[in-house]
Amino acid sequence: MSTRDTGGQRRETRRSDEDEQVEETADSAASVAERKAKLDDDIDAILDEIDEVVESNAEDFVRGFVQKGGQ
């Protein structure tokens, strides 16, 4: 009885696993992009609020140092 020698090489197909990984990567990239856009909007809103507060407080601060009557 003869046996067939394959030379120790084995051919494996992982096509479906690779496709799933590509889909997961694309989904996670889209998810990251959405989160980044939301965070950017939140940061912009916070910075706008800080600017408003600084402007109003700066006016009060400067008014305290305005010389009155040649002081």
Side-chain angles (χ1 to χ4, degrees), residues 2-69:
S2 67
T3 60
R4 185 172 181 199
D5 185 16
T6 61
Q9 295 178 355
R10 206 187 293 182
R11 182 177 180 188
E12 295 181 15
T13 57
R14 294 185 177 200
R15 199 74 178 161
S16 62
D17 291 343
E18 291 173 359
D19 291 341
E20 287 177 11
Q21 289 177 350
V22 169
E23 289 176 13
E24 288 176 5
T25 303
D27 290 343
S28 65
S31 173
V32 168
E34 289 174 13
R35 287 190 354 220
K36 182 186 179 308
K38 180 163 177 20
L39 288 174
D40 287 346
D41 291 342
D42 290 345
I43 290 171
D44 287 341
I46 290 170
L47 290 175
D48 288 341
E49 187 175 339
I50 290 171
D51 284 342
E52 290 173 10
V53 170
V54 167
E55 285 176 9
S56 66
N57 288 343
E59 289 174 11
D60 293 338
F61 182 78
V62 171
R63 282 188 203 131
F65 286 98
V66 171
Q67 292 183 350
K68 300 177 185 172

